Amino acid sequence: MITWTRSRSVLFSLVCLLVGFDAAADATDAMFDRNRVIDVRISIPTDDWDRLRAQERTLVSLFRGQCLAQPFPNPFTWFSATVTIDGQTRVNAGVRKKGFLGSLDAMKPALKIDLDEFQENAAVHGLKKLTLNNAKQDPALVRQCLGYKLFKKAGLPAPRCNFAHVSVNDKDLGVYVNVEEIRKPMLARHFPSNQGNLYEGTVSDFHPVLVNTFEAQTNEQTNDRSDLQRVIAALGADDANLPAVLGSVVDMERFRTFWAMEGLLGFWDGYSSNRNNFYLYAEPLSGKFHFIPWGTDGILSEGSPIAALNPAANSSMFAYSALTRRLVDQPGAMAAYAQRSYALLASVWNEGDIHAEINHMQTLLTPHAGDLSAALAPVRAFVDGRRSRVMQDVSGPAPAFPPLSILDYCLAPSGSISAGFVATWGTHGTTGPFTSGAAAASATFNGLSKITTLGGADAGLSRSDPNPHRAHLNLYLQFTDGKKAAIQNVADAARFFTGARLPVNGQDVNGSITFLDGVTPGGLLDEGTLHLNVASTLSGGRLCGKLEAK
């Protein structure tokens, strides 16, 4: 005999399934309320905080040796801290740094919080884990939340998102972007089953060279990764069978929308362009992969570093990944992509609604972040101009994308350089190489020693850089063999001060060397130091120092 109490419980469960009610998800809505900024306060021993924020990844540590043989290692460790969220305090919670490369920062590190890392703690607003992004690549702060909202409006799974005001040991770190973690609870809100294989894609693709970097986030012990191999096999089908074979392993209807959305948003650092910043979910009932966006702080910006691979391409269609590259050459591919783009312009890209959301976010953030008008100006300009740009880009034939090639990501040492320089602040981008400042250097390249016969230097902010606070210090060198090279050093302008000793590691200072003949291979700088003996970031200020790096 079934009691009324049990019958009522069963009935309620059935009703919940029918109407899609999820009590746990509803309880967490307060954590992602788009109408407020949550308050996060962290108390942690000073030495632990210094160790946490100093942990880093560098280009060399990530891409040396056989770098693509497995997912990239995580160098970040958990530290015990007292965490207070909206006035609710949890002791002995876990806090760690997060980020791949572009978001890494020692002054305002992106953070993960796990209230249960060291002991059982009660949830806050229904959640025990938080992902707090520092928006280092988005001075406007709004791109991530805006992007996820637009992906969701297009009918695609996307994480919830709002903002958090974070302080550590009573020091105000400013506004962070609070993004829903893509794990089983999030999957349950979007798919019939959350028991499938979930992968994070970071420099990952359906290609024998890049497939091993997919990082399993569910079923880690039982997942044989054969589902990934099935997509690689499907991509090898002949043109006549490709739609059916590929459609059996990837939800192609949703993927075509995902692909067009990346183009509409100018998401150059996503899957279709940079094979980066995305999740894959193999939904077990259908047996098909679905794409989930991630790391959208680089959207809604003109230009793309990837465009250098294909100068004839545009910013409204990217096809540099295995799946998109295979599709773009199919008969009728451009017409289908254009049709999907037009549909998204009609259903998703409502300029009035987007501006209203930007205005709402600005009003919400101003008390915490100050005046964002200047940082938001290029976002608003992108919104206003995007419709005509996309329609122009997709109305013609498909760009002539080059054959899919897997670059040799993995790095090997090639030499070292020591250079002295004198530069004037405000000259960057205003003069030609060798016409401003002075520089001299000695270097070794693949065992050959070289010294300079001529050198120049410039410094300042870049009008083409989406981050208005990022400083550029360029050295221009001509060596005794006649070859000319440019060394670029990029760092936060606040770090340019007299006496600074800045690590050249791809994080504090991002350095590279490029030979101007377009033939000689250059490289990335690492394991070095930028010494600023004199530094002023006032107009006409002087910068003198030394660069030493591998």
Side-chain angles (χ1 to χ4, degrees):
M1 179 177 178
I2 301 177
T3 65
W4 163 242
T5 301
R6 183 180 175 191
S7 300
R8 183 174 57 182
S9 176
V10 171
L11 179 62
F12 179 72
S13 298
L14 291 173
V15 172
C16 289
L17 289 174
L18 290 173
V19 301
F21 178 83
D22 185 337
D26 283 354
T28 66
D29 283 344
M31 187 67 84
F32 301 104
D33 185 348
R34 301 175 72 89
N35 295 312
R36 69 187 190 91
V37 178
I38 67 172
D39 183 70
V40 178
R41 304 184 184 194
I42 299 169
S43 178
I44 182 173
T46 301
D47 289 346
D48 284 352
W49 175 245
D50 289 339
R51 282 194 290 270
L52 180 153
R53 62 192 186 90
Q55 291 180 340
E56 64 181 30
R57 284 174 161 133
T58 69
L59 283 167
V60 168
S61 69
L62 286 169
F63 293 104
R64 62 157 47 103
Q66 301 297 313
C67 67
L68 304 178
Q70 63 281 313
F72 295 100
N74 182 355
F76 308 124
T77 55
W78 290 98
F79 293 85
S80 176
T82 298
V83 177
T84 301
I85 302 171
D86 287 342
Q88 300 186 48
T89 299
R90 303 292 183 264
V91 299
N92 203 21
V95 178
R96 73 164 173 84
K97 193 174 184 178
K98 69 171 292 287
F100 187 61
L101 277 178
S103 63
L104 291 180
D105 194 284
M107 304 305 292
K108 184 184 178 181
L111 298 170
K112 286 269 193 182
I113 294 176
D114 185 349
L115 301 181
D116 269 357
E117 180 62 29
F118 296 109
Q119 70 175 32
E120 183 70 21
N121 269 317
V124 176
H125 300 316
L127 281 180
K128 294 189 176 184
K129 296 182 179 182
L130 279 77
T131 297
L132 300 174
N133 290 335
N134 59 9
K136 184 176 180 179
Q137 300 185 88
D138 177 21
L141 299 174
V142 304
R143 286 180 168 90
Q144 292 177 72
C145 290
L146 193 57
Y148 296 134
K149 182 177 181 179
L150 293 172
F151 271 106
K152 185 176 179 181
K153 188 176 180 181
L156 298 169
R160 291 173 293 177
C161 177
N162 68 350
F163 303 100
H165 195 156
V166 179
S167 64
V168 175
N169 295 337
D170 296 325
K171 180 180 180 181
D172 187 354
L173 296 189
V175 173
Y176 280 67
V177 181
N178 176 39
V179 181
E180 180 181 14
E181 187 178 48
I182 299 180
R183 293 295 187 271
K184 285 188 175 182
M186 183 268 187
L187 297 176
R189 296 175 47 248
H190 293 277
F191 298 100
S193 170
N194 66 351
Q195 300 303 306
N197 295 335
L198 176 70
Y199 301 95
E200 184 173 1
T202 305
V203 191
S204 308
D205 205 357
F206 301 110
H207 186 282
V209 176
L210 294 180
V211 72
N212 292 324
T213 65
F214 279 109
E215 183 176 2
Q217 301 291 356
T218 61
N219 307 324
E220 293 93 328
Q221 304 304 317
T222 59
N223 181 2
D224 63 4
R225 302 171 70 92
S226 59
D227 46 6
L228 298 170
Q229 296 297 331
R230 284 194 289 272
V231 181
I232 294 177
L235 288 171
D238 58 49
D239 288 351
N241 293 315
L242 182 67
V245 175
L246 197 54
S248 69
V249 290
V250 176
D251 187 315
M252 292 305 300
E253 180 65 21
R254 275 189 163 185
F255 176 73
R256 291 184 184 280
T257 299
F258 179 90
W259 182 16
M261 277 298 299
E262 287 200 326
L264 175 59
L265 299 176
F267 193 9
W268 65 265
D269 201 19
Y271 171 70
S272 60
S273 181
N274 204 25
R275 298 177 281 214
N276 198 32
N277 285 318
F278 66 100
Y279 277 80
L280 278 177
Y281 181 55
E283 200 285 309
L285 299 183
S286 67
K288 297 181 181 182
F289 273 116
H290 297 257
F291 284 72
I292 303 172
W294 190 245
T296 56
D297 49 342
I299 66 171
L300 307 178
S301 298
E302 292 292 347
S304 163
I306 308 302
L309 299 174
N310 185 16
N314 58 60
S315 70
S316 304
M317 183 187 205
F318 304 115
Y320 300 100
S321 59
L323 184 50
T324 58
R325 189 63 191 83
R326 186 73 175 87
L327 293 174
V328 78
D329 286 335
Q330 298 305 297
M334 193 62 199
Y337 186 90
Q339 184 179 19
R340 191 62 53 99
S341 297
Y342 296 148
L344 292 173
L345 286 171
S347 62
V348 174
W349 199 257
N350 183 307
E351 289 86 351
D353 289 349
I354 297 173
H355 279 302
E357 183 67 15
I358 293 173
N359 293 339
H360 171 68
M361 292 180 180
Q362 182 179 15
T363 300
L364 192 68
L365 291 173
T366 296
H368 305 274
D371 186 5
L372 293 171
S373 299
L376 286 168
V379 180
R380 291 189 167 106
F382 183 96
V383 173
D384 288 334
R386 197 58 178 168
R387 181 179 299 273
S388 59
R389 176 63 183 270
V390 170
M391 293 182 70
Q392 175 184 337
D393 286 345
V394 304
S395 61
F401 288 97
L404 181 68
S405 63
I406 302 298
L407 301 177
D408 186 4
Y409 287 97
C410 300
L411 304 174
S414 61
S416 62
I417 190 163
S418 177
F421 59 86
V422 178
T424 300
W425 186 263
T427 55
H428 175 65
T430 62
T431 61
F434 305 102
T435 62
S436 177
S442 61
T444 60
F445 297 103
N446 299 314
L448 300 177
S449 298
K450 297 183 179 183
I451 60 173
T452 55
T453 59
L454 181 67
D458 62 32
L461 304 177
S462 171
R463 284 171 289 185
S464 62
D465 194 321
N467 187 339
H469 307 295
R470 198 147 47 200
H472 294 248
L473 172 62
N474 285 0
L475 312 184
Y476 304 98
L477 309 173
Q478 178 174 303
F479 294 100
T480 50
D481 60 1
K483 290 187 176 180
K484 298 178 180 180
I487 293 181
Q488 183 182 55
N489 298 284
V490 183
D492 193 303
R495 298 190 176 194
F496 279 37
F497 57 85
T498 296
R501 300 291 183 265
L502 306 180
V504 179
N505 54 17
Q507 176 182 338
D508 298 89
V509 176
N510 192 351
S512 63
I513 180 168
T514 303
F515 282 88
L516 304 184
D517 60 8
V519 177
T520 306
L524 304 170
L525 302 184
D526 200 85
E527 299 181 17
T529 304
L530 179 62
H531 304 259
L532 296 177
N533 299 328
V534 175
S536 170
T537 55
L538 298 176
S539 179
R542 188 179 179 87
L543 294 93
C544 303
K546 185 177 183 179
L547 169 68
E548 295 177 302
K550 294 182 181 179

